[in-house]
Each structure stands twice: as structure tokens, then as C-alpha cells.
Amino acid sequence: MEIVILAVVIAVVLVGAVSALVVGGRRKKQLPPAERPSTTPTITTPPAEPRVGDEAETPRDESRRTIEEVDLPTAEAPEAPPAEAEPAPAAPEVEVPEPTEGRLVRLRARLARSQNALGKGLLTLLSREHLDEDTWEEIEDTLLTADVGVVPTQELVERLRERVRVLGTRTPQELRTLLREELLKLVATDAPRAVKTDNGLETPAVVMVVGVNGTGKTTTTGKLARVLVADGKSVVLGAADTFRAAAADQLQTWGERVGARTVRGPEGGDPASIAFDAVKEGIAEHADVVLIDTAGRLHTKAGLMDELGKVKRVVEKQAPLDEVLLVLDATTGQNGLVQARVFAEVVNITGIVLTKLDGTAKGGIVVAVQRELGVPVKLIGLGEGPDDLAPFDPEAFVDALIGD
């Protein structure tokens, strides 16, 4: 019995094994050919790496031609359009300066506004019924306050005392006439007041402008150029102020406005050589006048003053120096006289230019500086405008002092 059971088990195992083999064979036959795993992998050869000078793509087989077989284009390349010329810079517009004749008369009202303390103050004091010693002292104080100076003040008071005593009764018009005559005696001088621009030589007249710092020399030189151009003169400017930044640019701007050429040099250069070149250029151009602007210098610095003397000597090697104009700030009053004395010792001052007379300046400085230096006031500045520099006229000046 046990043998039978063992035989049955073996038979069952054999049947199961045969069945598994049959089923596995059928499944293998049902798989599609594409899904069958390939025993041998397919290897694709990568494209060759391009070498230096080769194209990036894989070279292709094609016929190649030599350079002799290639037809080159025969058409001429189009001509490039001509470059447009850069426009030339526009020339500065040349102004026509105002004629100098009658400038001071036109500016009389402006001058009178700043000088009423002197003229009207004196007329008020002289109009008192009784002129006692206290009144005469007030008259004297008024003159001193106006920067007339001690000696001229004493002379004027003595003459007024005498004339009032002889005159007796005094009407306002008589007092005005009396005061006008006496002030004219103080202000007037026998020396010529015109700026010398005709020397009778073949060389141009040479005018040098000097002064301390801050008096307005460069501006005065530019305005003087306008005065001369308005009088029909041809002008060359010499920018010998090489120490102040942009001084040469400022002077050149003034010159361009009236068509005057400016001779200049490097900043910090030798002012004497620039002045020399300016005169040389003036001679070559047959100019009427050469104006030389010098650097401002402290009158207490001996070295700077000696340098100014050097400029003068160098200029005179080219042509005679016809004018040396000292520019004074009228608002400095008596302090300006100290400056004037030192400059007069170094260079031969021939004329005075008083600037800023329209401000807080006292009109008496005209009298004081003329007495101190023995030279006339030739020009006065009465404002910031380009044509506010006027030739000095004693009568118009006194009329402005005492008013209408």
C-alpha cells in the first residue's frame, strides 16, 4: 500500500513538471519579436570631433574647386557717403559799445545818489542864517568824512569863509554857485585827462593797468577796451595776470565782445614775457593801442612790486610805455592813498581809475588822490554794466556832487 502511494505522488510531480514546461514554451512563442531581448548590443559610432580649422558639422563628400575655378564678383563696392564736415564754431557776436561822449552826464543821477552827503550837506550848512565857529567845524567835518583830505579841507574852508564874509547876504542860488566854483578848484587840474592813445609813432600806444588785489583791474581793462573801440581804435589785449585763476579767460571774453584779440600764456607763466609778446603782436598787427592787464599785488610785498617794475622795463624794450593807470577802489577812501604812494614809487603812474564810485564811496577821494600823486583821475567806474566806465569830467562830477 505504501508503495502505491509513493508511485502516485511521483506521478503527480512528473505531471506538474511537464505541464509547467509546456506552459512556459507557449509564453515564449507569444512574445513579439521587438520585445525579445537582444543578446548583442548595437553600438553607434559618434561623429568625429572637429579639429582646428574644421567646420563643426561632419564633413560631406562633395566636389571641391580650386581658387582659380571660383568666379569672384566683379561689381564695384558702393562708395561710402562723404563724411559731413563738422560745422565751424560760431564766431562770438561783436558788440557795438556805447559812445563815450556824454557817458558821465548820462550817469550823473547814479553818481549823485551816492554823493548827496557831501554836496547837499555843505549847502545845508552854508544856508544857515548865522555861520558861527560850530557851523564851520561841521563843514570841516563833512569834508573830512567825504575823504577830501586834511590839507584840501583846510584850504576850502578858508576860501569859503572869505567869500561868504564878502558876499554878505546869501541866497540859495548864490551859495550853490559859490560852492560849485570852489569845488571845481579842488577837483580840476591842469594835467590832461584823456587816456593817451596817440603817440605819434609807428608803434601802438601801450597802456599798462596796475593795482592791488580786488580793485577790478581786469574788468576795468575790458571796459577800457570798449571805450577805445567806441572811439574807433583797434586794440590788442595782453593777459599778463597769470596768477589769478581764469583771469586770462575773463579778459579774453571782454576782448571777444568788441573784436579785440587777446595775447595770453600759460597759467603761472612769466607776466613780463606775455606783456612783451602782446606789444610785439600789436606792432605786427598795426594796432592803435595795446592794453596790458597785470596781476593784483599787495603794495606791502617788495618782491611783487619789483616784478611789476620788471614788466614795465621789458615792455619798454619793444615800445615806449605811454600810460600807467592805477586802479583804485573808491570805497577804500584814505587807505587807497597808501597803496597809490607805493605804486607811484615803483612805476611812473600817469593816471588814476576810480572804481565803485556809485556805491558807498565818498566823492572827496577824487581830490585827495590827485593831490597825493599829482596825477589826474582819468576814468571813473559807476556801475557793473559793460559801458559804466566813463572819462572823468570835473564839471559833470561837481554838478553831481551838489545836485540840482
Side-chain angles (χ1 to χ4, degrees), residues 325-366:
L325 299 178
L326 174 62
V327 180
L328 290 177
D329 184 342
T331 61
T332 60
Q334 295 294 312
N335 291 332
L337 299 182
V338 179
Q339 305 166 7
R341 293 189 198 106
V342 179
F343 277 91
E345 293 173 359
V346 178
V347 290
N348 183 27
I349 302 296
T350 60
I352 305 295
V353 182
L354 283 176
T355 62
K356 306 178 186 178
L357 260 176
D358 61 323
T360 59
K362 315 297 192 304
I365 190 62
V366 174

Side-chain angles (χ1 to χ4, degrees), residues 162-220:
E162 182 64 26
R163 293 195 63 176
V164 167
R165 185 165 50 248
V166 172
L167 185 62
T169 58
R170 306 177 303 280
T171 64
Q173 187 57 42
E174 288 173 337
L175 285 175
R176 188 180 302 277
T177 301
L178 181 151
L179 184 59
R180 184 179 187 275
E181 292 174 356
E182 293 301 328
L183 287 175
L184 272 176
K185 291 179 182 179
L186 285 180
V187 174
T189 175
D190 296 334
R193 294 191 180 274
V195 177
K196 188 176 181 181
T197 55
D198 294 308
N199 55 15
L201 304 175
E202 295 182 358
T203 57
V206 181
V207 180
M208 189 164 71
V209 182
V210 302
V212 300
N213 298 305
T215 56
K217 292 179 305 305
T218 301
T219 299
T220 297

Side-chain angles (χ1 to χ4, degrees), residues 83-91:
E84 296 183 0
E86 296 184 1

Side-chain angles (χ1 to χ4, degrees), residues 28-151:
K28 290 179 181 180
K29 289 180 181 181
Q30 291 176 355
L31 289 174
E35 293 181 1
R36 293 177 182 175
S38 176
T39 58
T40 304
T42 302
I43 300 175
T44 303
T45 304
E49 292 291 331
R51 294 172 298 176
V52 176
D54 293 342
E55 296 293 337
E57 63 182 24
T58 305
R60 295 172 295 180
D61 294 334
E62 60 180 5
S63 61
R64 298 181 180 274
R65 294 179 294 173
T66 64
I67 190 170
E68 289 81 5
E69 297 174 340
V70 176
D71 295 330
L72 299 176
T74 57
E76 295 182 358
E79 297 182 359
E84 296 183 0
E86 296 184 1
E93 184 179 352
V94 177
E95 302 176 5
V96 179
E98 180 182 333
T100 58
E101 184 179 358
R103 276 193 186 187
L104 185 55
V105 175
R106 179 181 63 82
L107 301 173
R108 176 179 167 183
R110 187 183 305 171
L111 178 62
R113 284 197 297 269
S114 63
Q115 309 301 332
N116 286 342
L118 176 58
K120 291 189 176 181
L122 290 176
L123 284 175
T124 301
L125 292 172
L126 290 172
S127 299
R128 290 181 180 177
E129 185 176 353
H130 300 288
L131 297 179
D132 52 17
E133 287 300 320
D134 291 338
T135 302
W136 286 112
E137 287 182 6
E138 290 184 48
I139 292 174
E140 188 172 312
D141 291 341
T142 300
L143 292 169
L144 291 173
T145 304
D147 292 328
V148 173
V150 176
V151 175

Side-chain angles (χ1 to χ4, degrees), residues 293-314:
D293 176 35
T294 62
R297 55 202 70 236
L298 295 173
H299 60 285
T300 56
K301 300 294 184 181
L304 295 176
M305 298 303 293
D306 291 342
E307 186 179 69
L308 184 61
K310 175 187 173 183
V311 174
K312 178 179 181 292
R313 292 190 300 271
V314 169

Side-chain angles (χ1 to χ4, degrees), residues 208 237-243 263-282 290 292-294 307-318:
M208 189 164 71
L237 298 171
D241 183 354
T242 60
F243 297 106
V263 177
R264 55 186 296 178
E267 186 173 332
D270 181 19
S273 64
I274 296 173
F276 182 88
D277 291 340
V279 177
K280 183 178 179 180
E281 291 294 327
V290 176
I292 301 174
D293 176 35
T294 62
E307 186 179 69
L308 184 61
K310 175 187 173 183
V311 174
K312 178 179 181 292
R313 292 190 300 271
V314 169
V315 166
E316 290 175 332
K317 292 180 180 180
Q318 280 280 359

